[in-house]
Amino acid sequence: EKGTYPHYMLKEIDEQPAVLRKIIQAYQNEQGELTIDSAILDALKEADRLYIIAAGTSYHAGLIGKEYFEKIAGIPVEVHISSEFGYNMPLLSKKPLFIFITQSGETADSRQVLVKIKEKGYPTLTVTNVPGSTLSREADHTLLLHAGPEIAVASTKAYVAQVAVLMVTASVFAKSQGKELDFDVVKELGIVANAVQAIVDTKEELEEIAAEYLSTTRNAFFIGRNVDFYVSLEGALKLKEISYIQAEGFAGGELKHGTIALIEDGTPVIALATQKAVSLNVRGNVKEVVARGANPCIIAMEGHEEEGDRFVLPKVHEFLAPLVAVIPLQLISYYAALHRDCDVDKPRNLAKSVTVE
Ligand code: M6R
């Protein structure tokens, strides 16, 4: 039930701090250490490469999951769009483990990959919000998102849950391999939950940003580097699916290889700068588009913000920055859709779960 909320999407955005706390709790043992099912840990240990298969927002979460597994646990990962993988399978490693990320557990494109992979006899894991869903039942193992039912077509809390559960899984796996992490995941996820709360408490500011940049525009660009690039893809998808504004997410450095031709006077460019090592490069990309007339909106992380940045995210561990950077993008999309009189929870042409291939 959406209670006093005007839309499920807004309610689900507001639930995100609680979802993060629930995940920390659900994956902790009595000693307060993070843990996952030992059979899943064994499957990870057996694998020489992970293949993440997903669609839409879940695919964007998978891209961040790849960073976690490769950088924290040291295992190679490929991330594939399910609708492509089914018909155009890459060469596989000797011992692949397939990880299906799906909020609903019912996405037909992902399921058809699962069916083919099972025929080949490879091990499978589904990361889903819905226990008992088709992909959960048909895979060897399941990891639950604990996000509670997600009703709005635009996925918000499930994305945050997917990224958090992938971090938990990668870190538990890394530790089981004797790798020492230089940060405490439980503590850092707790900091993230507070940061997300602080952002959802600044709705008026984000509503103003939406009004200023997006109430009449035809198009919008999102840019970022490293994990911010992946969050840019998610920000663009969120905006286009509910506000019908043509939006694209780009790697900051890629814009100049063609797309910059689309920048006109007043084109909104939303730039994410959460990663210290590449923050100056992103700012350089912003200068390039501003020189062509763009209206820039820099979203930076506390600690390396600069004057003129439009929104400053509370400081969190850089690995976990996607969990906070996505929140203003969700809220900006929500308000942009509202200002343009769109049906926020049920956008045209879309269903909550896509059960046709
Ligand atoms: O249920 P799934 O996670 O498998 O769904 C995948 C996509 O259909 C879904 O993420 C879609 O992109 C959302 N509407 C995005 O907000």
Side-chain angles (χ1 to χ4, degrees), residues 54-59 101-107 110 153-156 162 234 237-238 241 350-354:
T57 287
S58 299
Y59 171 72
I101 305 180
T102 168
Q103 186 284 131
S104 62
E106 302 297 342
T107 297
S110 301
V153 164
S155 182
T156 54
Q162 286 163 342
E234 173 58 10
L237 175 59
K238 216 86 304 173
E241 79 180 319
L350 290 172
K352 181 62 183 162
S353 49
V354 184

mmCIF file with all atom_site columns, all heavy atoms in Angstrom, residues 54-59 101-107 110 153-156 162 234 237-238 241 350-354, ligand 1:
data_model
loop_
_atom_site.group_PDB
_atom_site.id
_atom_site.type_symbol
_atom_site.label_atom_id
_atom_site.label_alt_id
_atom_site.label_comp_id
_atom_site.label_asym_id
_atom_site.label_entity_id
_atom_site.label_seq_id
_atom_site.pdbx_PDB_ins_code
_atom_site.Cartn_x
_atom_site.Cartn_y
_atom_site.Cartn_z
_atom_site.occupancy
_atom_site.B_iso_or_equiv
_atom_site.pdbx_formal_charge
_atom_site.auth_seq_id
_atom_site.auth_comp_id
_atom_site.auth_asym_id
_atom_site.auth_atom_id
_atom_site.pdbx_PDB_model_num
ATOM   1   N N   . ALA A 1 54  ? 21.633 -9.964  -17.153 1.00 0.00 ? 54  ALA A N   1
ATOM   2   C CA  . ALA A 1 54  ? 20.530 -9.148  -16.633 1.00 0.00 ? 54  ALA A CA  1
ATOM   3   C C   . ALA A 1 54  ? 20.014 -8.203  -17.711 1.00 0.00 ? 54  ALA A C   1
ATOM   4   O O   . ALA A 1 54  ? 20.612 -8.086  -18.789 1.00 0.00 ? 54  ALA A O   1
ATOM   5   C CB  . ALA A 1 54  ? 21.007 -8.342  -15.419 1.00 0.00 ? 54  ALA A CB  1
ATOM   6   N N   . ALA A 1 55  ? 18.926 -7.506  -17.386 1.00 0.00 ? 55  ALA A N   1
ATOM   7   C CA  . ALA A 1 55  ? 18.335 -6.534  -18.312 1.00 0.00 ? 55  ALA A CA  1
ATOM   8   C C   . ALA A 1 55  ? 18.071 -5.224  -17.572 1.00 0.00 ? 55  ALA A C   1
ATOM   9   O O   . ALA A 1 55  ? 17.860 -5.219  -16.352 1.00 0.00 ? 55  ALA A O   1
ATOM   10  C CB  . ALA A 1 55  ? 17.011 -7.079  -18.862 1.00 0.00 ? 55  ALA A CB  1
ATOM   11  N N   . GLY A 1 56  ? 18.069 -4.130  -18.321 1.00 0.00 ? 56  GLY A N   1
ATOM   12  C CA  . GLY A 1 56  ? 17.652 -2.821  -17.790 1.00 0.00 ? 56  GLY A CA  1
ATOM   13  C C   . GLY A 1 56  ? 18.447 -2.392  -16.561 1.00 0.00 ? 56  GLY A C   1
ATOM   14  O O   . GLY A 1 56  ? 19.684 -2.463  -16.529 1.00 0.00 ? 56  GLY A O   1
ATOM   15  N N   . THR A 1 57  ? 17.717 -1.964  -15.558 1.00 0.00 ? 57  THR A N   1
ATOM   16  C CA  . THR A 1 57  ? 18.343 -1.490  -14.327 1.00 0.00 ? 57  THR A CA  1
ATOM   17  C C   . THR A 1 57  ? 19.192 -2.582  -13.682 1.00 0.00 ? 57  THR A C   1
ATOM   18  O O   . THR A 1 57  ? 20.263 -2.307  -13.128 1.00 0.00 ? 57  THR A O   1
ATOM   19  C CB  . THR A 1 57  ? 17.231 -1.005  -13.363 1.00 0.00 ? 57  THR A CB  1
ATOM   20  O OG1 . THR A 1 57  ? 16.729 0.236   -13.874 1.00 0.00 ? 57  THR A OG1 1
ATOM   21  C CG2 . THR A 1 57  ? 17.734 -0.804  -11.954 1.00 0.00 ? 57  THR A CG2 1
ATOM   22  N N   . SER A 1 58  ? 18.725 -3.824  -13.755 1.00 0.00 ? 58  SER A N   1
ATOM   23  C CA  . SER A 1 58  ? 19.488 -4.919  -13.142 1.00 0.00 ? 58  SER A CA  1
ATOM   24  C C   . SER A 1 58  ? 20.833 -5.102  -13.853 1.00 0.00 ? 58  SER A C   1
ATOM   25  O O   . SER A 1 58  ? 21.837 -5.455  -13.225 1.00 0.00 ? 58  SER A O   1
ATOM   26  C CB  . SER A 1 58  ? 18.678 -6.217  -13.197 1.00 0.00 ? 58  SER A CB  1
ATOM   27  O OG  . SER A 1 58  ? 17.474 -6.049  -12.481 1.00 0.00 ? 58  SER A OG  1
ATOM   28  N N   . TYR A 1 59  ? 20.855 -4.839  -15.160 1.00 0.00 ? 59  TYR A N   1
ATOM   29  C CA  . TYR A 1 59  ? 22.117 -4.883  -15.916 1.00 0.00 ? 59  TYR A CA  1
ATOM   30  C C   . TYR A 1 59  ? 23.057 -3.786  -15.399 1.00 0.00 ? 59  TYR A C   1
ATOM   31  O O   . TYR A 1 59  ? 24.254 -4.020  -15.211 1.00 0.00 ? 59  TYR A O   1
ATOM   32  C CB  . TYR A 1 59  ? 21.812 -4.696  -17.407 1.00 0.00 ? 59  TYR A CB  1
ATOM   33  C CG  . TYR A 1 59  ? 23.024 -4.498  -18.283 1.00 0.00 ? 59  TYR A CG  1
ATOM   34  C CD1 . TYR A 1 59  ? 23.891 -5.538  -18.565 1.00 0.00 ? 59  TYR A CD1 1
ATOM   35  C CD2 . TYR A 1 59  ? 23.300 -3.234  -18.822 1.00 0.00 ? 59  TYR A CD2 1
ATOM   36  C CE1 . TYR A 1 59  ? 25.010 -5.345  -19.370 1.00 0.00 ? 59  TYR A CE1 1
ATOM   37  C CE2 . TYR A 1 59  ? 24.411 -3.035  -19.630 1.00 0.00 ? 59  TYR A CE2 1
ATOM   38  C CZ  . TYR A 1 59  ? 25.268 -4.086  -19.897 1.00 0.00 ? 59  TYR A CZ  1
ATOM   39  O OH  . TYR A 1 59  ? 26.368 -3.892  -20.679 1.00 0.00 ? 59  TYR A OH  1
ATOM   40  N N   . ILE A 1 101 ? 20.754 -11.477 -12.412 1.00 0.00 ? 101 ILE A N   1
ATOM   41  C CA  . ILE A 1 101 ? 20.259 -10.420 -11.515 1.00 0.00 ? 101 ILE A CA  1
ATOM   42  C C   . ILE A 1 101 ? 18.903 -9.991  -12.048 1.00 0.00 ? 101 ILE A C   1
ATOM   43  O O   . ILE A 1 101 ? 18.791 -9.551  -13.196 1.00 0.00 ? 101 ILE A O   1
ATOM   44  C CB  . ILE A 1 101 ? 21.229 -9.221  -11.474 1.00 0.00 ? 101 ILE A CB  1
ATOM   45  C CG1 . ILE A 1 101 ? 22.637 -9.689  -11.086 1.00 0.00 ? 101 ILE A CG1 1
ATOM   46  C CG2 . ILE A 1 101 ? 20.729 -8.172  -10.489 1.00 0.00 ? 101 ILE A CG2 1
ATOM   47  C CD1 . ILE A 1 101 ? 23.658 -8.561  -11.033 1.00 0.00 ? 101 ILE A CD1 1
ATOM   48  N N   . THR A 1 102 ? 17.880 -10.143 -11.239 1.00 0.00 ? 102 THR A N   1
ATOM   49  C CA  . THR A 1 102 ? 16.529 -9.808  -11.682 1.00 0.00 ? 102 THR A CA  1
ATOM   50  C C   . THR A 1 102 ? 15.640 -9.486  -10.489 1.00 0.00 ? 102 THR A C   1
ATOM   51  O O   . THR A 1 102 ? 15.457 -10.340 -9.617  1.00 0.00 ? 102 THR A O   1
ATOM   52  C CB  . THR A 1 102 ? 15.917 -10.949 -12.544 1.00 0.00 ? 102 THR A CB  1
ATOM   53  O OG1 . THR A 1 102 ? 14.521 -10.717 -12.719 1.00 0.00 ? 102 THR A OG1 1
ATOM   54  C CG2 . THR A 1 102 ? 16.143 -12.331 -11.958 1.00 0.00 ? 102 THR A CG2 1
ATOM   55  N N   . GLN A 1 103 ? 15.132 -8.267  -10.461 1.00 0.00 ? 103 GLN A N   1
ATOM   56  C CA  . GLN A 1 103 ? 14.245 -7.878  -9.373  1.00 0.00 ? 103 GLN A CA  1
ATOM   57  C C   . GLN A 1 103 ? 13.071 -8.839  -9.283  1.00 0.00 ? 103 GLN A C   1
ATOM   58  O O   . GLN A 1 103 ? 12.791 -9.400  -8.242  1.00 0.00 ? 103 GLN A O   1
ATOM   59  C CB  . GLN A 1 103 ? 13.762 -6.439  -9.607  1.00 0.00 ? 103 GLN A CB  1
ATOM   60  C CG  . GLN A 1 103 ? 12.945 -5.809  -8.491  1.00 0.00 ? 103 GLN A CG  1
ATOM   61  C CD  . GLN A 1 103 ? 11.511 -6.287  -8.378  1.00 0.00 ? 103 GLN A CD  1
ATOM   62  O OE1 . GLN A 1 103 ? 11.067 -6.645  -7.265  1.00 0.00 ? 103 GLN A OE1 1
ATOM   63  N NE2 . GLN A 1 103 ? 10.792 -6.343  -9.463  1.00 0.00 ? 103 GLN A NE2 1
ATOM   64  N N   . SER A 1 104 ? 12.380 -8.997  -10.419 1.00 0.00 ? 104 SER A N   1
ATOM   65  C CA  . SER A 1 104 ? 11.133 -9.774  -10.431 1.00 0.00 ? 104 SER A CA  1
ATOM   66  C C   . SER A 1 104 ? 11.358 -11.276 -10.426 1.00 0.00 ? 104 SER A C   1
ATOM   67  O O   . SER A 1 104 ? 10.511 -12.035 -9.970  1.00 0.00 ? 104 SER A O   1
ATOM   68  C CB  . SER A 1 104 ? 10.327 -9.418  -11.677 1.00 0.00 ? 104 SER A CB  1
ATOM   69  O OG  . SER A 1 104 ? 11.074 -9.775  -12.841 1.00 0.00 ? 104 SER A OG  1
ATOM   70  N N   . GLY A 1 105 ? 12.484 -11.695 -10.984 1.00 0.00 ? 105 GLY A N   1
ATOM   71  C CA  . GLY A 1 105 ? 12.707 -13.133 -11.167 1.00 0.00 ? 105 GLY A CA  1
ATOM   72  C C   . GLY A 1 105 ? 11.858 -13.707 -12.289 1.00 0.00 ? 105 GLY A C   1
ATOM   73  O O   . GLY A 1 105 ? 11.738 -14.926 -12.433 1.00 0.00 ? 105 GLY A O   1
ATOM   74  N N   . GLU A 1 106 ? 11.254 -12.841 -13.102 1.00 0.00 ? 106 GLU A N   1
ATOM   75  C CA  . GLU A 1 106 ? 10.336 -13.321 -14.147 1.00 0.00 ? 106 GLU A CA  1
ATOM   76  C C   . GLU A 1 106 ? 10.719 -12.841 -15.543 1.00 0.00 ? 106 GLU A C   1
ATOM   77  O O   . GLU A 1 106 ? 9.988  -13.118 -16.490 1.00 0.00 ? 106 GLU A O   1
ATOM   78  C CB  . GLU A 1 106 ? 8.896  -12.854 -13.849 1.00 0.00 ? 106 GLU A CB  1
ATOM   79  C CG  . GLU A 1 106 ? 8.335  -13.298 -12.500 1.00 0.00 ? 106 GLU A CG  1
ATOM   80  C CD  . GLU A 1 106 ? 8.210  -14.821 -12.355 1.00 0.00 ? 106 GLU A CD  1
ATOM   81  O OE1 . GLU A 1 106 ? 8.220  -15.522 -13.386 1.00 0.00 ? 106 GLU A OE1 1
ATOM   82  O OE2 . GLU A 1 106 ? 8.139  -15.288 -11.203 1.00 0.00 ? 106 GLU A OE2 1
ATOM   83  N N   . THR A 1 107 ? 11.793 -12.100 -15.687 1.00 0.00 ? 107 THR A N   1
ATOM   84  C CA  . THR A 1 107 ? 12.127 -11.513 -16.984 1.00 0.00 ? 107 THR A CA  1
ATOM   85  C C   . THR A 1 107 ? 12.437 -12.608 -18.017 1.00 0.00 ? 107 THR A C   1
ATOM   86  O O   . THR A 1 107 ? 13.365 -13.405 -17.832 1.00 0.00 ? 107 THR A O   1
ATOM   87  C CB  . THR A 1 107 ? 13.317 -10.550 -16.810 1.00 0.00 ? 107 THR A CB  1
ATOM   88  O OG1 . THR A 1 107 ? 12.887 -9.516  -15.937 1.00 0.00 ? 107 THR A OG1 1
ATOM   89  C CG2 . THR A 1 107 ? 13.775 -9.961  -18.122 1.00 0.00 ? 107 THR A CG2 1
ATOM   90  N N   . SER A 1 110 ? 15.972 -13.025 -19.538 1.00 0.00 ? 110 SER A N   1
ATOM   91  C CA  . SER A 1 110 ? 16.944 -13.635 -18.617 1.00 0.00 ? 110 SER A CA  1
ATOM   92  C C   . SER A 1 110 ? 16.645 -15.120 -18.441 1.00 0.00 ? 110 SER A C   1
ATOM   93  O O   . SER A 1 110 ? 17.545 -15.960 -18.387 1.00 0.00 ? 110 SER A O   1
ATOM   94  C CB  . SER A 1 110 ? 16.921 -12.919 -17.266 1.00 0.00 ? 110 SER A CB  1
ATOM   95  O OG  . SER A 1 110 ? 17.232 -11.557 -17.457 1.00 0.00 ? 110 SER A OG  1
ATOM   96  N N   . VAL A 1 153 ? 6.924  0.911   -11.781 1.00 0.00 ? 153 VAL A N   1
ATOM   97  C CA  . VAL A 1 153 ? 7.635  0.318   -12.923 1.00 0.00 ? 153 VAL A CA  1
ATOM   98  C C   . VAL A 1 153 ? 9.121  0.713   -12.889 1.00 0.00 ? 153 VAL A C   1
ATOM   99  O O   . VAL A 1 153 ? 10.005 -0.101  -13.155 1.00 0.00 ? 153 VAL A O   1
ATOM   100 C CB  . VAL A 1 153 ? 6.966  0.744   -14.263 1.00 0.00 ? 153 VAL A CB  1
ATOM   101 C CG1 . VAL A 1 153 ? 7.886  0.468   -15.441 1.00 0.00 ? 153 VAL A CG1 1
ATOM   102 C CG2 . VAL A 1 153 ? 5.654  -0.018  -14.444 1.00 0.00 ? 153 VAL A CG2 1
ATOM   103 N N   . ALA A 1 154 ? 9.397  1.965   -12.539 1.00 0.00 ? 154 ALA A N   1
ATOM   104 C CA  . ALA A 1 154 ? 10.794 2.403   -12.455 1.00 0.00 ? 154 ALA A CA  1
ATOM   105 C C   . ALA A 1 154 ? 11.433 1.786   -11.212 1.00 0.00 ? 154 ALA A C   1
ATOM   106 O O   . ALA A 1 154 ? 10.995 2.019   -10.095 1.00 0.00 ? 154 ALA A O   1
ATOM   107 C CB  . ALA A 1 154 ? 10.864 3.921   -12.392 1.00 0.00 ? 154 ALA A CB  1
ATOM   108 N N   . SER A 1 155 ? 12.464 1.021   -11.425 1.00 0.00 ? 155 SER A N   1
ATOM   109 C CA  . SER A 1 155 ? 13.112 0.331   -10.315 1.00 0.00 ? 155 SER A CA  1
ATOM   110 C C   . SER A 1 155 ? 14.023 1.293   -9.541  1.00 0.00 ? 155 SER A C   1
ATOM   111 O O   . SER A 1 155 ? 14.826 2.006   -10.141 1.00 0.00 ? 155 SER A O   1
ATOM   112 C CB  . SER A 1 155 ? 13.935 -0.835  -10.879 1.00 0.00 ? 155 SER A CB  1
ATOM   113 O OG  . SER A 1 155 ? 14.540 -1.540  -9.836  1.00 0.00 ? 155 SER A OG  1
ATOM   114 N N   . THR A 1 156 ? 13.869 1.335   -8.247  1.00 0.00 ? 156 THR A N   1
ATOM   115 C CA  . THR A 1 156 ? 14.710 2.212   -7.421  1.00 0.00 ? 156 THR A CA  1
ATOM   116 C C   . THR A 1 156 ? 15.351 1.415   -6.282  1.00 0.00 ? 156 THR A C   1
ATOM   117 O O   . THR A 1 156 ? 16.543 1.141   -6.294  1.00 0.00 ? 156 THR A O   1
ATOM   118 C CB  . THR A 1 156 ? 13.893 3.391   -6.844  1.00 0.00 ? 156 THR A CB  1
ATOM   119 O OG1 . THR A 1 156 ? 12.757 2.869   -6.141  1.00 0.00 ? 156 THR A OG1 1
ATOM   120 C CG2 . THR A 1 156 ? 13.450 4.342   -7.935  1.00 0.00 ? 156 THR A CG2 1
ATOM   121 N N   . GLN A 1 162 ? 20.370 -4.497  -5.058  1.00 0.00 ? 162 GLN A N   1
ATOM   122 C CA  . GLN A 1 162 ? 21.239 -5.346  -5.891  1.00 0.00 ? 162 GLN A CA  1
ATOM   123 C C   . GLN A 1 162 ? 22.706 -4.967  -5.704  1.00 0.00 ? 162 GLN A C   1
ATOM   124 O O   . GLN A 1 162 ? 23.563 -5.828  -5.506  1.00 0.00 ? 162 GLN A O   1
ATOM   125 C CB  . GLN A 1 162 ? 20.854 -5.174  -7.377  1.00 0.00 ? 162 GLN A CB  1
ATOM   126 C CG  . GLN A 1 162 ? 19.553 -5.867  -7.735  1.00 0.00 ? 162 GLN A CG  1
ATOM   127 C CD  . GLN A 1 162 ? 18.958 -5.372  -9.050  1.00 0.00 ? 162 GLN A CD  1
ATOM   128 O OE1 . GLN A 1 162 ? 19.299 -4.302  -9.554  1.00 0.00 ? 162 GLN A OE1 1
ATOM   129 N NE2 . GLN A 1 162 ? 18.047 -6.136  -9.617  1.00 0.00 ? 162 GLN A NE2 1
ATOM   130 N N   . GLU A 1 234 ? 22.170 4.412   -15.553 1.00 0.00 ? 234 GLU A N   1
ATOM   131 C CA  . GLU A 1 234 ? 20.958 4.195   -14.762 1.00 0.00 ? 234 GLU A CA  1
ATOM   132 C C   . GLU A 1 234 ? 20.142 5.491   -14.640 1.00 0.00 ? 234 GLU A C   1
ATOM   133 O O   . GLU A 1 234 ? 18.912 5.473   -14.763 1.00 0.00 ? 234 GLU A O   1
ATOM   134 C CB  . GLU A 1 234 ? 21.340 3.626   -13.382 1.00 0.00 ? 234 GLU A CB  1
ATOM   135 C CG  . GLU A 1 234 ? 20.222 3.486   -12.376 1.00 0.00 ? 234 GLU A CG  1
ATOM   136 C CD  . GLU A 1 234 ? 19.063 2.607   -12.833 1.00 0.00 ? 234 GLU A CD  1
ATOM   137 O OE1 . GLU A 1 234 ? 19.170 1.932   -13.876 1.00 0.00 ? 234 GLU A OE1 1
ATOM   138 O OE2 . GLU A 1 234 ? 18.026 2.646   -12.153 1.00 0.00 ? 234 GLU A OE2 1
ATOM   139 N N   . LEU A 1 237 ? 18.327 6.026   -17.918 1.00 0.00 ? 237 LEU A N   1
ATOM   140 C CA  . LEU A 1 237 ? 17.197 5.098   -18.095 1.00 0.00 ? 237 LEU A CA  1
ATOM   141 C C   . LEU A 1 237 ? 16.010 5.552   -17.241 1.00 0.00 ? 237 LEU A C   1
ATOM   142 O O   . LEU A 1 237 ? 14.864 5.572   -17.703 1.00 0.00 ? 237 LEU A O   1
ATOM   143 C CB  . LEU A 1 237 ? 17.611 3.666   -17.724 1.00 0.00 ? 237 LEU A CB  1
ATOM   144 C CG  . LEU A 1 237 ? 16.490 2.616   -17.747 1.00 0.00 ? 237 LEU A CG  1
ATOM   145 C CD1 . LEU A 1 237 ? 15.844 2.520   -19.129 1.00 0.00 ? 237 LEU A CD1 1
ATOM   146 C CD2 . LEU A 1 237 ? 17.010 1.240   -17.334 1.00 0.00 ? 237 LEU A CD2 1
ATOM   147 N N   . LYS A 1 238 ? 16.314 5.924   -15.987 1.00 0.00 ? 238 LYS A N   1
ATOM   148 C CA  . LYS A 1 238 ? 15.233 6.349   -15.085 1.00 0.00 ? 238 LYS A CA  1
ATOM   149 C C   . LYS A 1 238 ? 14.499 7.540   -15.677 1.00 0.00 ? 238 LYS A C   1
ATOM   150 O O   . LYS A 1 238 ? 13.279 7.565   -15.731 1.00 0.00 ? 238 LYS A O   1
ATOM   151 C CB  . LYS A 1 238 ? 15.856 6.711   -13.736 1.00 0.00 ? 238 LYS A CB  1
ATOM   152 C CG  . LYS A 1 238 ? 15.049 6.376   -12.519 1.00 0.00 ? 238 LYS A CG  1
ATOM   153 C CD  . LYS A 1 238 ? 15.245 4.977   -12.012 1.00 0.00 ? 238 LYS A CD  1
ATOM   154 C CE  . LYS A 1 238 ? 14.970 3.914   -13.047 1.00 0.00 ? 238 LYS A CE  1
ATOM   155 N NZ  . LYS A 1 238 ? 15.306 2.596   -12.640 1.00 0.00 ? 238 LYS A NZ  1
ATOM   156 N N   . GLU A 1 241 ? 12.445 6.599   -18.963 1.00 0.00 ? 241 GLU A N   1
ATOM   157 C CA  . GLU A 1 241 ? 11.259 5.734   -18.866 1.00 0.00 ? 241 GLU A CA  1
ATOM   158 C C   . GLU A 1 241 ? 10.076 6.421   -18.213 1.00 0.00 ? 241 GLU A C   1
ATOM   159 O O   . GLU A 1 241 ? 8.943  6.115   -18.562 1.00 0.00 ? 241 GLU A O   1
ATOM   160 C CB  . GLU A 1 241 ? 11.582 4.369   -18.244 1.00 0.00 ? 241 GLU A CB  1
ATOM   161 C CG  . GLU A 1 241 ? 11.724 4.302   -16.769 1.00 0.00 ? 241 GLU A CG  1
ATOM   162 C CD  . GLU A 1 241 ? 12.043 2.884   -16.274 1.00 0.00 ? 241 GLU A CD  1
ATOM   163 O OE1 . GLU A 1 241 ? 11.464 1.913   -16.771 1.00 0.00 ? 241 GLU A OE1 1
ATOM   164 O OE2 . GLU A 1 241 ? 12.864 2.772   -15.353 1.00 0.00 ? 241 GLU A OE2 1
ATOM   165 N N   . LEU A 1 350 ? 5.116  0.406   -20.910 1.00 0.00 ? 350 LEU A N   1
ATOM   166 C CA  . LEU A 1 350 ? 5.974  -0.417  -20.042 1.00 0.00 ? 350 LEU A CA  1
ATOM   167 C C   . LEU A 1 350 ? 5.161  -1.265  -19.059 1.00 0.00 ? 350 LEU A C   1
ATOM   168 O O   . LEU A 1 350 ? 4.089  -0.864  -18.623 1.00 0.00 ? 350 LEU A O   1
ATOM   169 C CB  . LEU A 1 350 ? 6.914  0.481   -19.235 1.00 0.00 ? 350 LEU A CB  1
ATOM   170 C CG  . LEU A 1 350 ? 8.023  1.190   -20.002 1.00 0.00 ? 350 LEU A CG  1
ATOM   171 C CD1 . LEU A 1 350 ? 8.736  2.175   -19.111 1.00 0.00 ? 350 LEU A CD1 1
ATOM   172 C CD2 . LEU A 1 350 ? 9.009  0.163   -20.536 1.00 0.00 ? 350 LEU A CD2 1
ATOM   173 N N   . ALA A 1 351 ? 5.738  -2.427  -18.720 1.00 0.00 ? 351 ALA A N   1
ATOM   174 C CA  . ALA A 1 351 ? 5.129  -3.269  -17.684 1.00 0.00 ? 351 ALA A CA  1
ATOM   175 C C   . ALA A 1 351 ? 6.187  -3.487  -16.606 1.00 0.00 ? 351 ALA A C   1
ATOM   176 O O   . ALA A 1 351 ? 7.374  -3.344  -16.864 1.00 0.00 ? 351 ALA A O   1
ATOM   177 C CB  . ALA A 1 351 ? 4.725  -4.597  -18.282 1.00 0.00 ? 351 ALA A CB  1
ATOM   178 N N   . LYS A 1 352 ? 5.753  -3.842  -15.415 1.00 0.00 ? 352 LYS A N   1
ATOM   179 C CA  . LYS A 1 352 ? 6.720  -4.043  -14.329 1.00 0.00 ? 352 LYS A CA  1
ATOM   180 C C   . LYS A 1 352 ? 7.661  -5.203  -14.628 1.00 0.00 ? 352 LYS A C   1
ATOM   181 O O   . LYS A 1 352 ? 8.845  -5.096  -14.423 1.00 0.00 ? 352 LYS A O   1
ATOM   182 C CB  . LYS A 1 352 ? 5.985  -4.259  -12.994 1.00 0.00 ? 352 LYS A CB  1
ATOM   183 C CG  . LYS A 1 352 ? 6.912  -4.450  -11.788 1.00 0.00 ? 352 LYS A CG  1
ATOM   184 C CD  . LYS A 1 352 ? 7.781  -3.213  -11.541 1.00 0.00 ? 352 LYS A CD  1
ATOM   185 C CE  . LYS A 1 352 ? 8.754  -3.414  -10.401 1.00 0.00 ? 352 LYS A CE  1
ATOM   186 N NZ  . LYS A 1 352 ? 9.848  -2.406  -10.454 1.00 0.00 ? 352 LYS A NZ  1
ATOM   187 N N   . SER A 1 353 ? 7.094  -6.317  -15.057 1.00 0.00 ? 353 SER A N   1
ATOM   188 C CA  . SER A 1 353 ? 8.061  -7.349  -15.473 1.00 0.00 ? 353 SER A CA  1
ATOM   189 C C   . SER A 1 353 ? 7.785  -7.743  -16.924 1.00 0.00 ? 353 SER A C   1
ATOM   190 O O   . SER A 1 353 ? 6.635  -7.879  -17.335 1.00 0.00 ? 353 SER A O   1
ATOM   191 C CB  . SER A 1 353 ? 8.108  -8.549  -14.533 1.00 0.00 ? 353 SER A CB  1
ATOM   192 O OG  . SER A 1 353 ? 6.844  -9.011  -14.264 1.00 0.00 ? 353 SER A OG  1
ATOM   193 N N   . VAL A 1 354 ? 8.873  -7.858  -17.653 1.00 0.00 ? 354 VAL A N   1
ATOM   194 C CA  . VAL A 1 354 ? 8.763  -8.058  -19.100 1.00 0.00 ? 354 VAL A CA  1
ATOM   195 C C   . VAL A 1 354 ? 8.833  -9.560  -19.360 1.00 0.00 ? 354 VAL A C   1
ATOM   196 O O   . VAL A 1 354 ? 9.912  -10.154 -19.362 1.00 0.00 ? 354 VAL A O   1
ATOM   197 C CB  . VAL A 1 354 ? 9.865  -7.289  -19.835 1.00 0.00 ? 354 VAL A CB  1
ATOM   198 C CG1 . VAL A 1 354 ? 9.698  -7.421  -21.353 1.00 0.00 ? 354 VAL A CG1 1
ATOM   199 C CG2 . VAL A 1 354 ? 9.835  -5.804  -19.451 1.00 0.00 ? 354 VAL A CG2 1
HETATM 200 O O1  . M6R B 2 .   ? 12.761 -7.743  -12.956 1.00 0.00 ? 1   M6R B O1  1
HETATM 201 P P1  . M6R B 2 .   ? 14.071 -7.483  -13.671 1.00 0.00 ? 1   M6R B P1  1
HETATM 202 O O2  . M6R B 2 .   ? 15.094 -6.892  -12.777 1.00 0.00 ? 1   M6R B O2  1
HETATM 203 O O3  . M6R B 2 .   ? 14.594 -8.681  -14.406 1.00 0.00 ? 1   M6R B O3  1
HETATM 204 O O4  . M6R B 2 .   ? 13.693 -6.392  -14.764 1.00 0.00 ? 1   M6R B O4  1
HETATM 205 C C1  . M6R B 2 .   ? 14.646 -5.946  -15.690 1.00 0.00 ? 1   M6R B C1  1
HETATM 206 C C2  . M6R B 2 .   ? 14.180 -4.697  -16.388 1.00 0.00 ? 1   M6R B C2  1
HETATM 207 O O5  . M6R B 2 .   ? 12.995 -4.917  -17.113 1.00 0.00 ? 1   M6R B O5  1
HETATM 208 C C3  . M6R B 2 .   ? 13.947 -3.547  -15.405 1.00 0.00 ? 1   M6R B C3  1
HETATM 209 O O6  . M6R B 2 .   ? 15.079 -3.278  -14.625 1.00 0.00 ? 1   M6R B O6  1
HETATM 210 C C4  . M6R B 2 .   ? 13.545 -2.255  -16.149 1.00 0.00 ? 1   M6R B C4  1
HETATM 211 O O7  . M6R B 2 .   ? 14.647 -1.769  -16.878 1.00 0.00 ? 1   M6R B O7  1
HETATM 212 C C5  . M6R B 2 .   ? 13.034 -1.217  -15.154 1.00 0.00 ? 1   M6R B C5  1
HETATM 213 N N1  . M6R B 2 .   ? 11.740 -0.728  -15.545 1.00 0.00 ? 1   M6R B N1  1
HETATM 214 C C6  . M6R B 2 .   ? 13.965 -0.049  -14.966 1.00 0.00 ? 1   M6R B C6  1
HETATM 215 O O8  . M6R B 2 .   ? 13.466 0.901   -14.082 1.00 0.00 ? 1   M6R B O8  1
#
